Amino acid sequence: MGILNFSIEKSYFYRISFYLMDHIPTRKTSEHFQGEIARMRYVSGEDQPQISSRMHAHRDDYYIFLLIEKGEGKVLIDFEACEIKEKSVLCIRPGQVHFSDGNVTADGWLLAVDSIAVREEYKEIFEKSVITENTVNPNEDAFNDLTDCAPMLCRRLKSDESKTGQYIVQDLLSSYIGMIAEAYQKEIPAPVNKRSAAITYEFKALLSANYRLLKRPSQYAARLNISPVYLYEAVRQTTGQSVGDYIRNEIMIQAKRLLFYSNMGVKEIALELGYEDWAYFTRMFTKISKLSPTQFRKKYLK
């Protein structure tokens, strides 16, 4: 990559990153955890501060896991409806914008945990949850194991532990998250070879930093020094989605965030996301979202 292209790419990245950080409320570990790695408590009824109402839509730089014993309602996670279900688990990943319609009621255990306390293997499973759903329904034994573990973990997190006790807390926390990851893993397509998984991980990292400039699968394949066909097969085998789907979904998420959190016009948003032809951008958005950008804005900001 040439120096000029690198400079332009960084300029786009920092400009829009600063804009989104400035306009999308982000709850940070450093501000809410007060030196702790995790917080856990039992929530009931309409006591849902972490999920929040539409007026408090936000994102976090930490994971949120909600073990739902009973409840109903819908939460929007990156503007996709996620149904609250009895005896289910809900995972909200760092960076995902989330809010409800104000009619969510749920009883269960809420865990907010610093990303550093989540094993990389588990993070990969939660990342793959985009191809299933944000909620999963563990089998009866798995759900009972989680409900048995939750109060113990909550008590341990709140207690003043010795050094040995701190190790126990870390192991217990990792085990609890691991059981949730296991429930999600069962909903994900059959595992693939490590090489395909590694390529997919590199592609997704590249996509998150370059979606404004790189729009074609062949461009990502070139950056990864592999053929477009090889990239396609690796991503398809790992996630069940095509490279093109991933690119379009990433762009749609960013577009929806800008429509929701800014006063930018559609033309400005199209340009911000790397589309000089705003009419083409509008057609693509409408086809994927089933709403035009203007209709989307009216629906969620009414």
Side-chain angles (χ1 to χ4, degrees):
M1 175 171 56
I3 294 176
L4 178 60
N5 287 340
F6 178 73
S7 298
I8 293 174
E9 191 169 301
K10 286 185 69 177
S11 173
Y12 265 97
F13 177 77
Y14 288 126
R15 180 156 59 93
I16 197 167
S17 293
F18 176 80
Y19 185 91
L20 290 174
M21 288 174 64
D22 189 49
H23 286 73
I24 300 180
T26 301
R27 294 181 178 179
K28 298 182 179 180
T29 305
S30 58
E31 297 172 356
H32 295 276
F33 281 48
Q34 299 178 349
E36 302 167 324
I37 62 170
R39 285 192 169 186
M40 189 173 193
R41 67 190 185 89
Y42 192 84
V43 296
S44 61
E46 296 182 358
D47 181 21
Q48 312 297 333
Q50 294 283 0
I51 294 177
S52 73
S53 69
R54 176 178 298 165
M55 295 303 293
H56 296 90
H58 69 281
R59 58 185 176 185
D60 310 288
D61 70 352
Y62 48 85
Y63 282 89
I64 292 176
F65 300 103
L66 186 61
L67 179 64
I68 304 165
E69 296 178 348
K70 61 180 180 179
E72 60 182 9
K74 289 184 179 180
V75 177
L76 273 77
I77 301 179
D78 275 330
F79 306 99
E80 293 293 331
C82 176
E83 186 176 354
I84 295 295
K85 306 174 183 177
E86 181 177 332
K87 293 188 176 181
S88 65
V89 179
L90 168 65
C91 170
I92 302 176
R93 304 191 310 278
Q96 289 188 301
V97 175
H98 54 281
F99 57 97
S100 76
D101 59 5
N103 297 313
V104 172
T105 58
D107 292 354
W109 291 95
L110 187 149
L111 171 66
V113 57
D114 193 323
S115 181
I116 65 172
V118 181
R119 293 173 61 98
E120 291 300 321
E121 295 87 348
Y122 300 156
K123 289 179 182 178
E124 289 186 21
I125 292 173
F126 297 133
E127 285 293 328
K128 292 176 183 177
S129 68
V130 297
I131 65 173
T132 56
E133 293 185 7
N134 288 89
T135 57
V136 295
N137 289 84
N139 61 42
E140 185 175 356
D141 288 341
F143 189 82
N144 289 339
D145 286 344
L146 285 167
T147 54
D148 288 343
C149 183
M152 185 192 313
L153 174 58
C154 182
R155 178 175 57 81
R156 285 280 190 168
L157 284 169
K158 292 179 179 178
S159 64
D160 185 12
E161 299 284 1
S162 63
K163 188 171 183 179
T164 301
Q166 291 174 2
Y167 292 147
I168 294 173
V169 169
Q170 292 171 7
D171 291 342
L172 191 59
L173 178 62
S174 185
S175 295
Y176 183 81
I177 296 171
M179 285 190 285
I180 294 175
E182 183 180 47
Y184 273 90
Q185 179 72 68
K186 292 179 179 179
E187 301 296 323
I188 296 171
V192 298
N193 65 67
K194 292 183 178 180
R195 176 58 178 160
S196 292
I199 289 173
T200 301
Y201 181 82
E202 291 178 25
F203 160 68
K204 289 166 66 176
L206 197 59
L207 173 62
S208 66
N210 294 278
Y211 61 85
R212 300 168 195 87
L213 295 177
L214 307 182
K215 299 293 193 294
R216 297 192 300 274
S218 60
Q219 293 174 305
Y220 288 93
R223 291 289 186 92
L224 294 170
N225 295 315
I226 58 177
S227 71
V229 173
Y230 192 9
L231 176 61
Y232 177 89
E233 290 299 331
V235 174
R236 173 69 76 177
Q237 189 179 29
T238 304
T239 69
Q241 289 185 296
S242 72
V243 178
D245 288 340
Y246 252 105
I247 295 171
R248 286 186 289 272
N249 288 343
E250 182 68 25
I251 292 168
M252 288 301 100
I253 288 173
Q254 300 302 331
K256 289 175 181 178
R257 290 175 178 175
L258 287 171
L259 285 165
F260 187 88
Y261 283 101
S262 79
N263 294 320
M264 296 171 68
V266 176
K267 290 183 180 180
E268 293 177 285
I269 291 175
L271 185 61
E272 198 70 62
L273 295 176
Y275 293 93
E276 293 185 5
D277 185 348
W278 70 273
Y280 170 80
F281 167 77
T282 298
R283 290 195 299 272
M284 179 180 68
F285 185 98
T286 303
K287 181 178 180 180
I288 296 174
S289 301
K290 309 304 180 186
L291 293 170
S292 71
T294 301
Q295 289 171 331
F296 175 88
R297 181 168 265 167
K298 286 181 179 180
K299 176 180 178 179
Y300 289 103
L301 295 180
K302 64 183 178 180

